[in-house]
Amino acid sequence: MDETQWDIQEVKYLKKKQLVQGNLVMLLFFVPLGYLAENGKPLLLFGVFCVLSWIIVAITLYTLKTGRPIGTKTSRRVRAFDRNRLGEKRWKRRKITEIVFISAISVFLTGFIFVMDFDTVRLDFPIDVFPFIGAWIGYNIGEIIRMSNL
């Protein structure tokens, strides 16, 4: 589909819908991960993050290789718009950068799990949540700015 054929108002609506869906998923992860942090299960907490990061790498690699995104109907339409808007070359470059970055984080987390002594790790739940909340707020602000720039 050509960029001139996209209805920008529809894309904005889809991006808002996707932002709400993303926030609901974050809430669904926040509660059980907060429980794990509060009850002193740091190995399980880091293990969950490690598995999630490798799943994200696999999904991104699949999308790069096949060109078909995985996700809801809304997310697939938004990604198709973004791919069309960026152009094939820039889209591919961004996907490769994304894979390299997330893979590096995944390798680091995996190595961290094997070398860290989790018996000595202590998590202070209320204080340890602030980086997560900061990233969540930053994600929302970034998405809102990108929507307004359309």
Side-chain angles (χ1 to χ4, degrees):
M1 209 177 212
D2 193 333
E3 188 172 348
T4 57
Q5 295 175 338
W6 287 94
D7 179 14
I8 297 300
Q9 292 306 317
E10 180 190 2
V11 173
K12 282 185 177 185
Y13 169 76
L14 292 173
K15 284 187 176 259
K16 286 177 188 173
K17 186 176 174 182
Q18 187 178 22
L19 182 62
V20 169
Q21 289 172 347
N23 280 312
L24 289 174
V25 168
M26 292 289 273
L27 279 174
L28 288 174
F29 277 117
F30 183 75
V31 172
L33 294 178
Y35 173 79
L36 290 175
E38 181 68 25
N39 291 313
K41 307 237 188 278
L43 176 60
L44 191 54
L45 183 67
F46 282 99
V48 168
F49 279 125
C50 183
V51 169
L52 285 175
S53 66
W54 282 113
I55 289 171
I56 292 169
V57 168
I59 289 170
T60 308
L61 193 57
Y62 174 82
T63 302
L64 178 66
K65 289 293 184 187
T66 64
R68 289 179 280 153
I70 295 176
T72 63
K73 184 178 179 181
T74 301
S75 68
R76 288 192 308 261
R77 296 232 341 128
V78 168
R79 288 184 191 141
F81 170 78
D82 290 338
R83 184 176 183 174
N84 183 270
R85 194 164 149 240
L86 286 172
E88 193 66 29
K89 192 174 182 179
R90 278 181 61 201
W91 176 83
K92 212 169 222 174
R93 215 176 316 133
R94 280 197 181 174
K95 281 294 169 194
I96 291 170
T97 303
E98 186 179 338
I99 289 170
V100 168
F101 183 72
I102 297 171
S103 295
I105 290 172
S106 300
V107 168
F108 175 76
L109 274 175
T110 304
F112 185 74
I113 287 173
F114 286 108
V115 299
M116 184 71 185
D117 179 20
F118 284 98
D119 295 331
T120 61
V121 173
R122 230 186 74 124
L123 298 173
D124 296 324
F125 177 64
I127 303 230
D128 291 339
V129 169
F130 289 123
F132 182 81
I133 292 173
W136 194 349
I137 291 170
Y139 164 74
N140 280 290
I141 290 171
E143 287 299 314
I144 290 168
I145 289 171
R146 280 187 277 285
M147 278 186 266
S148 66
N149 287 341
L150 286 179

